């Protein structure tokens, strides 16, 4: 169905009151541009039928609308949504460009809709410096409580790798007020759940529990923040546990071992090179003094962010927090990050790991990119979109090229690691099918070069934006995922405003922005490449595949 | 939380929880059907059908259908069970209409092209091959075969290699036309939608389905008595034992007592009787759990545990001893209080996301309850007394009726009866 014609008389009914968006082309009959534009508009009308209405208005015959919208240049295109102009441009576009522009602008309109007028989260600080974020959610009488300490593996002293994760384990042991294991027992007995994780820059503890028990949780978390006894017996016993954990989880897992080796060469002298679980040879040497020292240096209210979401009011949370966390004095000597300056990365790094239990040969590539904390506005968002366009399961570039076309891969993944303060990392992960890793690497490099040279299409970009924003919304609806998002990002230094305006920032990324970051950051000097082969395989994985 | 019951203009009933905080919708629905509606020769048909359903529909090829789902950034899945096939559609508000169209297409115009059918078949063979090597799947599947011989509940939802080999595109279409019908449909919606919008959506998606399904009647059945122990020989580091007995039907007045009893016997948290006696006191296993599986045609209290072959016999003896003690009244007020406390405290945790709320409400509806059950559930748990509990323990916990299947190489020579042999239907002929 072709583009329809509207006039001063029909404009309100056909355009302003339309339930779907309307693209209006304002034209003037004089000049040759008009003839060229008509087929484009009709084709777009056909393609977007049912989703976007397409109309044209002759400005010479319809002075009222012309003056309402101050149309001077021809042709002018305005995209109307819910009766208002959502976007506007002038000039001639091809069908593809026009549809891409419409897609992006509608996505932006959506994003602005998803960002609520009032802030979702309320934040305040206790007098001892502890930061609190509260997000009310009255769907059910449940609460999610997450405390994030601004300390992680990257803050460990030289030679004591693993101490941060070790201390995370020791947090479940005795304090002056509770016996070892009580914390967990009490939470579980109340029907709650708890989890914890240690990362490079943060260490976090999460509880989900009936809202009635919020104050109990706070009391216990506040207690273990500063009152751990860290007895010799507890330290010795738990050291064995973390050594055993390393053996079971990492040392038995060729993929994890490769990942560790890649991190070491990707970051070189930067502390992110250290495994979170510590280097195995250093674990036996972790002493009680190391633990006490690390605990005193970093665990304090003025080094913590608390996020609470659930059937609570901010007032109730503040009150409960004052009565528990608020009684702990700030530790002025708490060390804030004093990291080593970033190394210069001047050479592409490579590691190859042969392991008896490796499956099909696996290829990995990581690129160092900026973090949300130190990037220019919009850069990391562009990188997120790039990762999405590379790694999307059906329509991503890697899948299309390596799984469907050349068939060098059984599966492909690409994601952005974005929860660290000093760097981000764009990671590619490919499991080969039968052709060997040389072939996989060549195919991957070709895909990346195509993007560097040719950029991405508007359609790909719109799809990636939609996917990222949809994930953001689905995630926001899950109370625990929402809390983890706020906690992890605020603890590394992002602000609530940045978090809540993220969809709009994503929507505002252009194809040009993506091409720019691809060229700047997909640079071999910023990269580490890893090959995982089965031990005994002297080829590049091609001969030993399970196809 | 406000749960509305909505009837669409076309007469389809739906439960709705409106939540406009996020512009998304979680839709969960169930059709009567599943593995119990499928004949033995076609074991696995419901599962085969639902996998193939997610592949292509209408004018879309498999690739196009998947890409469309990706383009809209929606989630669309089906999950076959014994009594029902459950579906999930999750979408942003702005894509809701298109998402509904895709679901409608999948249900009303499924495409069972030769390549989709073959690809799904191969996928199932691969799954069955790996399932045969999984001691938990083996023990669990065999438990159903021994507990419900000759009944639809003895069928494996995923089927077996022989039956999967024979399923045709006609069988798949046959399943759809028989068992996607409005009289077996339940729909729950949680999210950014009004009652009016939901009514229009369900009429659009489900309105053209046949009014009535073609159901076979399935008898209610108890757990077979005297089935004893069955061992399926497998060379595994840890033997997996599945044990169970008959429990109360879901709507039996004693169900809630049985539910609380199960919490004491082997429920979540860390202080169940079996966890204490088997894991903490004697170190015979890392963990042991029990649950009540209350289906439409049978209900049982079932548990599973992994243990070293040489301690399996001892472990089984302890399970029997504890059940016997509890049947005789050995249950303390403290155990009851802890169980109630846990069950009441953990209930709200299931409701902290729209998809989870939809899931919980759909389960209530499938079990035959109304939306108001949610509001009274905790009070029902609270009302259970020690007398109720002891009476129900005596009624249910009969260790001599315990059906046990073990995948592994257990040492059972302390055990009173045992049937050692190859499992029925476990894989292809060599």
């Amino acid at each position: 169905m072709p583009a329809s014609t509207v006039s001063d008389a029909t404009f309100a009914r056909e355009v302003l009151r339309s339930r779907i968006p309307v693209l209006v082309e304002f034209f003037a009959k004089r000049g040759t541009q008009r003839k060229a534009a008509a087929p484009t508009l009709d084709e777009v009308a056909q393609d977007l039928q049912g989703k976007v209405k397409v109309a044209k208005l002759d400005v010479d015959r319809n002075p009222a609308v012309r003056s309402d919208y101050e149309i001077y240049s021809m042709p002018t295109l305005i995209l109307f949504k819910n009766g208002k102009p959502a976007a506007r441009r002038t000039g001639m576009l091809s069908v593809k460009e026009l549809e891409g522009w419409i897609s992006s602008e509608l996505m932006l309109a959506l994003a602005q809709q998803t960002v609520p007028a009032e802030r979702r989260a309320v934040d305040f600080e206790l007098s001892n410096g502890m930061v609190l974020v509260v997000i009310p959610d009255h769907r059910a009488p449940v609460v999610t409580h997450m405390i994030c300490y601004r300390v992680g593996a990257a803050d460990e002293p030289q030679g004591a790798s693993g101490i941060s994760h070790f201390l995370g384990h020791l947090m479940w042991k005795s304090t002056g007020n509770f016996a070892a294991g009580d914390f967990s027992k009490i939470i579980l007995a109340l029907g709650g759940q708890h989890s914890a994780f240690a990362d490079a820059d943060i260490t976090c503890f999460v509880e989900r529990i009936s809202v009635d028990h919020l104050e109990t949780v706070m009391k216990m978390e506040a207690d273990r923040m500063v009152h751990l006894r860290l007895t010799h017996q507890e330290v010795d016993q738990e050291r064995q546990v973390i050594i055993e954990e390393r053996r079971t989880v990492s040392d038995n897992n060729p993929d994890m071992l490769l990942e560790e080796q890649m991190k070491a060469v990707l970051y070189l002298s930067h502390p992110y090179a250290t495994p979170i679980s510590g280097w195995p040879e250093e674990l036996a040497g972790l002493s009680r003094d190391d633990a006490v020292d690390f605990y005193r240096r970093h665990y304090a209210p003025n080094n913590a962010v608390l996020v609470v979401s659930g059937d609570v009011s901010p007032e109730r949370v503040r009150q409960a927090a004052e009565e528990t966390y608020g009684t702990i004095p700030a530790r002025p000597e708490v060390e804030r990050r004093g990291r080593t300056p970033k190394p210069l990365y001047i050479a592409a790094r490579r590691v190859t790991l042969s392991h008896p239990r490796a499956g099909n040969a696996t290829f990995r590539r990581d690129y160092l990119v900026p973090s949300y904390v130190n990037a220019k506005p919009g850069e990391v968002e562009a990188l997120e979109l790039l990762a999405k366009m590379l790694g999307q399961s059906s329509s991503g570039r890697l899948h299309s090229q390596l799984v469907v076309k050349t068939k060098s891969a059984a599966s492909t993944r690409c994601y952005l690691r974005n929860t660290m303060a000093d760097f981000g990392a764009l990671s590619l992960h490919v499991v080969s099918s039968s052709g060997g890793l040389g072939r996989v690497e060549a195919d991957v490099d070709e895909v990346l070069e195509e993007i560097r040279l040719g950029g991405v299409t508007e359609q790909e970009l719109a799809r990636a934006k939609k996917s990222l924003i949809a994930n953001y919304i689905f995630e926001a609806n899950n109370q625990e995922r929402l809390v983890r998002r706020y906690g992890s990002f605020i603890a590394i230094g992002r602000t609530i405003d940045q978090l809540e305006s993220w969809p709009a920032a994503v929507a505002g990324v252009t194809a040009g922005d993506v091409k720019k970051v691809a060229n700047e950051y997909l640079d071999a000097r910023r990269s580490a490449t890893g090959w995982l082969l089965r031990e005994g395989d002297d080829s590049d994985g091609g001969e030993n595949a399970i196809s | 939380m406000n749960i509305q019951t909505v009837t669409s203009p076309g007469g389809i009933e739906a439960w709705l929880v409106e939540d406009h905080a996020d512009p998304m919708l979680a839709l969960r629905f169930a059709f009567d059907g599943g593995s119990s509606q499928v004949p033995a020769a076609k074991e696995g048909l419901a599962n085969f059908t639902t996998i193939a359903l997610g592949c292509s529909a209408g004018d879309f090829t498999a690739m196009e259908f998947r890409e469309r789902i990706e383009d809209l950034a929606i989630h669309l899945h089906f999950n076959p069970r014994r009594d029902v096939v459950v579906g999930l559609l999750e979408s942003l508000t702005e894509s809701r209409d298109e998402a509904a169209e895709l679901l409608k297409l999948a249900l009303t115009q499924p495409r069972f092209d030769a390549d989709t059918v073959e690809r799904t078949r191969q996928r199932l063979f691969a799954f069955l091959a790996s399932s045969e090597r999984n001691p938990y799947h083996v023990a669990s599947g065999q438990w159903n075969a021994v507990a419900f011989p000759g009944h639809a509940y003895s069928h494996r939802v995923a089927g077996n290699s022989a039956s999967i080999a024979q399923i045709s595109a006609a069988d798949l279409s046959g399943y759809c036309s028989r068992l996607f019908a409005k009289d077996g449909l339940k729909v729950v919606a949680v999210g950014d939608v009004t009652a009016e919008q939901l009514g229009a959506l369900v009429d659009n998606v489900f309105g053209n389905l046949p009014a009535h399904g073609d159901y076979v009647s399935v008898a209610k059945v108890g757990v077979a008595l005297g089935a004893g122990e069955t061992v399926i020989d497998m060379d595994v580091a840890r033997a997996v034992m599945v044990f169970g007995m008959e429990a109360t039907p879901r709507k039996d007045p004693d169900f809630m007592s049985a539910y609380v009893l199960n919490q004491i016997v082997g429920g979540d948290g860390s202080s169940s009787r079996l966890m204490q006696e088997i894991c903490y006191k004697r170190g015979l296993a890392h963990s042991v759990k029990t649950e009540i599986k209350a289906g439409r045609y049978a209900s049982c209290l079932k548990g599973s545990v992994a243990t070293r072959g040489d301690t399996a016999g001892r472990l089984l003896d302890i399970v029997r001893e504890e059940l016997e003690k509890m049947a005789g009244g050995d249950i303390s007020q403290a155990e009851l209080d802890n169980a109630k406390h846990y069950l009441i405290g953990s209930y709200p945790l299931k409701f902290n996301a729209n998809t989870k709320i939809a899931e919980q409400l759909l389960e209530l509806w499938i079990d035959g309850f109304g939306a108001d059950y949610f509001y009274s559930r905790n009070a029902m748990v609270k009302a259970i007394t020690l007398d109720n509990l002891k009476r129900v323990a005596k009624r249910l916990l009969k260790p001599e009726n315990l059906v046990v299947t073990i995948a592994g190489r257990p040492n059972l020579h302390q055990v009173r009866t045992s049937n050692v042999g190859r499992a029925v239907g476990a894989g292809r002929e060599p």
Side-chain angles (χ1 to χ4, degrees):
Chain A
M1 133 177 186
S4 60
T5 302
V6 291
S7 65
D8 280 349
T10 62
F11 200 79
R13 187 180 73 233
E14 296 294 331
V15 177
L16 301 183
R17 290 201 288 271
S18 166
R19 273 152 64 192
I20 59 176
V22 187
L23 174 73
V24 181
E25 190 213 49
F26 298 87
F27 69 93
K29 280 229 172 85
R30 49 202 143 81
T32 52
Q33 310 99 322
R34 190 66 209 98
K35 290 223 175 79
T40 304
L41 224 51
D42 288 340
E43 195 175 329
V44 172
Q46 181 68 31
D47 288 346
L48 299 183
Q49 196 174 341
K51 294 181 211 130
V52 177
K53 212 158 134 181
V54 179
K56 49 198 179 191
L57 181 133
D58 181 342
V59 299
D60 293 329
R61 288 173 171 205
N62 297 286
V65 171
R66 178 192 192 152
S67 126
D68 282 346
Y69 296 99
E70 296 179 3
I71 311 287
Y72 301 113
S73 316
M74 301 308 149
T76 289
L77 295 157
I78 302 185
L79 187 59
F80 286 86
K81 199 166 191 248
N82 297 326
K84 296 197 176 49
R88 176 175 181 143
R89 65 187 297 166
T90 55
M92 300 283 300
L93 293 173
S94 68
V95 169
K96 217 165 144 197
E97 287 166 333
L98 190 47
E99 288 177 4
W101 175 71
I102 292 170
S103 231
S104 301
E105 289 302 339
L106 288 180
M107 183 63 61
L108 181 58
L110 162 72
Q112 284 163 347
Q113 219 176 296
T114 62
V115 177
E118 320 93 54
R119 261 243 217 112
R120 196 172 185 139
V122 170
D123 66 317
F124 43 88
E125 210 172 280
L126 299 182
S127 54
N128 59 14
M130 185 165 177
V131 169
L132 265 76
V133 179
V134 182
I135 308 161
D137 169 8
H138 302 291
R139 283 175 296 183
V142 66
V143 69
T144 307
H145 172 286
M146 177 185 199
I147 180 161
C148 307
Y149 293 99
R150 295 195 195 94
V151 61
D155 299 295
E156 293 168 342
Q158 193 74 9
S161 68
I163 190 69
S164 176
H165 168 241
F166 189 20
L167 189 54
H169 271 244
L170 292 167
M171 284 285 268
W172 305 91
K173 302 299 178 189
S174 66
T175 66
N177 302 305
F178 293 98
D182 272 359
F183 189 100
S184 173
K185 259 193 220 138
I186 292 171
I187 299 286
L188 292 177
L190 293 173
Q193 291 172 9
H194 58 71
S195 59
F197 64 90
D199 203 348
D201 298 306
I202 57 180
T203 308
C204 306
F205 302 88
V206 185
E207 292 85 23
R208 294 206 307 124
I209 200 160
S210 260
V211 71
D212 293 342
H213 304 308
L214 173 64
E215 284 75 10
T216 305
V217 169
M218 286 193 171
K219 186 168 124 201
M220 295 201 296
E221 281 286 11
D223 180 56
R224 70 178 180 173
M225 183 192 285
V226 289
H227 291 133
L228 284 182
R229 286 166 58 219
L230 297 171
T231 67
H232 281 284
Q233 191 198 29
E234 284 170 348
V235 171
D236 289 340
Q237 196 176 55
E238 205 62 19
R239 190 190 299 110
Q240 283 313 111
V241 171
I242 60 164
I243 289 174
E244 185 58 30
E245 187 186 331
R246 234 220 93 97
R247 278 197 200 119
T248 331
V249 174
S250 309
D251 297 343
N252 248 349
N253 185 332
D255 283 303
M256 289 204 60
L257 289 175
L258 178 67
E259 199 175 309
E260 260 179 15
Q261 297 293 311
M262 287 209 28
K263 270 173 63 168
V265 300
L266 181 67
Y267 296 109
L268 296 178
S269 58
H270 186 280
Y272 287 170
T274 316
I276 308 290
S277 59
W279 291 114
E281 64 276 8
E282 290 181 0
L283 295 183
L286 295 175
S287 68
R288 184 194 181 252
D289 284 346
D290 291 327
V292 171
D293 209 50
F294 199 77
Y295 183 52
R296 294 229 175 95
R297 246 188 250 269
H298 298 287
Y299 280 72
N302 49 315
N303 204 27
V305 174
L306 176 67
V307 182
V308 175
S309 178
D311 191 16
V312 290
S313 66
E315 292 69 45
R316 173 178 173 185
V317 176
R318 182 199 284 270
Q319 172 87 5
E322 295 281 7
E323 287 166 9
T324 52
Y325 298 111
T327 64
I328 304 171
R331 273 220 252 261
E333 71 275 21
V334 156
E335 287 182 6
R336 290 308 224 102
R337 300 188 195 293
R339 294 271 167 81
T340 53
K342 286 181 196 160
L344 293 172
Y345 297 102
I346 60 172
R349 280 90 69 207
R350 303 187 72 92
V351 288
T352 303
L353 175 66
S354 289
H355 194 281
R357 271 187 303 288
N360 273 16
T362 303
F363 169 88
R364 299 184 78 135
R365 171 81 56 80
D366 288 342
Y367 289 94
L368 285 178
V369 302
S371 78
Y372 269 117
V373 177
N374 56 32
K376 300 188 208 87
E379 264 195 330
V380 184
E381 289 83 348
L383 288 162
E384 299 252 32
L385 288 164
L386 175 60
K388 185 57 89 163
M389 286 182 271
L390 282 167
Q392 192 80 312
S393 53
S394 297
S395 49
R397 293 261 180 135
L398 289 172
H399 180 92
S400 304
Q401 187 68 8
L402 278 73
V403 176
V404 177
K405 193 154 160 220
T406 68
K407 302 194 193 331
S408 63
S411 66
T412 62
R413 284 177 61 202
C414 181
Y415 51 93
L416 192 74
R417 287 189 245 156
N418 60 15
T419 53
M420 298 171 297
D422 295 353
F423 288 106
L426 190 136
S427 295
L428 292 85
H429 187 161
V430 179
V431 178
S432 74
S433 56
S434 54
L437 293 181
R439 180 71 202 275
V440 166
E441 185 161 345
D443 286 346
V444 168
D445 284 334
E446 197 182 311
V447 166
L448 299 181
E449 184 68 353
E450 257 171 39
I451 295 190
R452 283 189 210 101
L453 295 177
V456 295
T457 65
E458 289 293 340
Q459 197 197 23
E460 271 177 306
L461 183 60
R463 185 191 288 137
K465 284 181 181 178
K466 181 133 181 169
S467 177
L468 277 190
I469 293 179
N471 277 350
Y472 174 93
I473 292 172
F474 292 141
E475 199 182 70
N477 191 261
N478 179 307
Q479 193 182 92
E480 185 180 358
R481 310 271 248 339
L482 182 70
V483 166
R484 282 174 179 254
R485 178 200 297 160
Y486 277 82
S488 331
F489 282 126
I490 291 172
I492 60 165
R494 294 183 76 189
T495 67
I496 294 179
D497 280 329
Q498 287 169 336
L499 287 184
E500 295 188 357
S501 60
W502 185 82
V506 167
V509 172
T510 67
D513 294 332
V514 175
K515 188 172 175 188
K516 180 153 173 262
V517 297
N519 278 285
E520 188 164 349
Y521 297 112
L522 299 184
D523 180 322
R525 286 165 300 180
R526 309 182 71 92
S527 78
T529 300
W531 282 22
L532 175 63
L533 300 169
R534 202 174 312 139
E535 200 168 74
D537 179 0
D538 290 330
S539 74
D540 66 351
E543 286 162 18
N544 285 344
I546 306 162
S547 40
Chain B
M1 191 168 69
N2 176 31
I3 309 168
Q4 302 171 53
T5 337
V6 169
T7 307
S8 75
I12 297 176
E13 192 186 329
W15 293 5
L16 169 63
V17 177
E18 284 190 58
D19 176 54
H20 302 283
D22 297 302
M24 59 82 76
L25 174 67
L27 192 79
R28 277 208 184 240
F29 54 92
F31 285 102
D32 287 345
S35 65
S36 61
Q37 283 292 315
V38 161
K42 306 272 179 192
E43 192 180 275
L45 176 58
N47 186 45
F48 201 136
T49 307
T50 53
I51 294 176
L53 264 187
C55 288
S56 60
D59 285 339
F60 293 107
T61 62
M63 175 112 97
E64 285 165 355
F65 196 73
R66 284 282 116 205
E67 275 183 4
R68 186 82 186 117
I69 287 179
E70 234 171 50
D71 280 354
L72 295 173
I74 63 175
H75 300 134
L76 173 56
H77 297 297
F78 297 94
N79 181 22
R81 303 196 328 216
R82 293 183 303 177
D83 304 326
V84 288
V85 167
V86 171
L88 152 74
L89 179 68
E90 209 183 335
S91 165
L92 294 185
T93 299
E94 66 140 23
S95 314
R96 188 177 64 224
D97 292 340
E98 292 126 307
E101 283 301 320
L102 272 190
L103 174 58
K104 175 182 175 175
L105 216 53
L107 288 173
T108 58
Q109 291 180 50
R111 255 168 84 149
F112 299 123
D113 298 340
D115 63 325
T116 295
V117 173
E118 284 325 300
R119 221 183 13 249
T120 305
R121 199 192 312 274
Q122 292 309 314
R123 211 171 127 181
L124 283 168
F125 283 147
F127 170 76
L128 289 172
S130 100
S131 179
E132 269 165 41
R133 294 201 296 273
N134 179 324
Y136 176 74
H137 285 180
V138 169
S140 191
Q142 192 60 16
W143 195 91
N144 288 329
V146 168
F148 306 116
H151 186 272
Y153 275 2
S154 66
H155 300 166
R156 289 175 196 238
V157 173
N160 62 72
S161 325
S163 64
I164 294 299
Q166 292 173 31
I167 287 173
S168 67
D171 291 325
L172 304 176
S173 309
Y175 182 94
C176 292
S177 47
R178 260 186 69 209
L179 293 163
F180 287 141
K182 284 188 277 195
D183 65 348
L185 173 65
K186 299 172 175 63
V187 186
V188 176
V190 180
D192 183 26
V193 73
T194 63
E196 201 193 329
Q197 289 164 337
L198 179 62
L201 189 150
V202 299
D203 278 346
N204 182 29
V205 174
F206 304 108
N208 289 342
L209 292 173
H212 300 289
D214 183 11
Y215 308 104
V216 298
S217 82
V218 179
K220 290 213 158 83
V221 68
V223 171
L225 297 175
E229 289 78 34
T230 307
V231 175
I232 308 101
D233 183 73
M234 280 182 87
D235 184 9
V236 281
R238 294 283 179 276
V240 175
M241 291 198 330
V242 176
F243 54 91
M245 65 189 89
E246 197 163 319
T248 56
R250 185 66 175 93
K251 292 194 129 185
D252 188 296
D254 278 345
F255 180 83
M256 205 38 103
S257 300
Y259 185 66
V260 174
L261 178 63
N262 173 70
Q263 178 63 20
I264 295 171
V265 171
D268 277 336
S270 53
S271 55
S272 75
R273 182 70 72 90
L274 291 183
M275 275 296 280
Q276 295 292 339
E277 297 297 325
I278 291 171
C279 307
Y280 297 143
K281 280 195 188 158
R282 297 176 177 83
L284 294 176
H286 177 252
S287 72
V288 56
K289 289 255 183 308
T290 63
E291 57 172 340
I292 297 194
K293 291 202 77 163
R296 202 159 279 179
Y297 308 110
S299 178
C300 50
L301 193 157
K302 251 172 107 172
S304 67
V305 62
T307 187
R308 284 199 346 244
D310 61 343
T311 50
R314 178 126 164 69
L315 194 155
L316 204 42
D317 282 349
I318 293 166
V319 170
R320 289 205 176 92
E321 269 165 38
E322 289 305 317
L323 292 176
E324 190 135 15
K325 276 156 71 178
M326 291 172 78
D330 176 3
I331 306 173
S332 70
Q333 185 65 45
E335 278 177 308
L336 174 59
D337 291 340
N338 286 343
K340 283 160 72 167
H341 216 133
Y342 179 87
L343 289 174
I344 289 171
S346 59
Y347 193 55
L349 271 63
K350 301 173 198 270
F351 295 89
N352 71 341
N354 289 356
T355 46
K356 290 168 75 173
I357 296 171
E359 190 182 335
Q360 289 298 315
L361 294 179
L362 185 64
E363 290 308 315
L364 287 181
W365 195 352
I366 289 173
D367 283 343
F369 296 105
D372 53 316
Y373 185 96
F374 165 77
Y375 302 109
S376 47
R377 186 268 191 189
N378 272 352
M380 290 195 278
V381 171
K382 200 156 184 207
I384 305 297
T385 64
L386 194 56
D387 284 341
N388 295 142
L389 210 60
K390 288 183 179 177
R391 180 178 54 77
V392 172
K394 188 162 177 200
R395 177 183 159 191
L396 289 186
L397 302 182
K398 296 184 157 69
E400 65 275 16
N401 291 346
L402 200 63
V403 176
V404 182
T405 52
I406 309 174
R409 288 190 175 150
N411 175 355
L412 289 179
H413 53 230
Q414 290 164 307
V415 170
R416 277 157 273 160
T417 55
S418 113
N419 305 322
V420 178
R422 288 288 307 171
V424 170
R428 294 200 232 211
E429 294 308 310

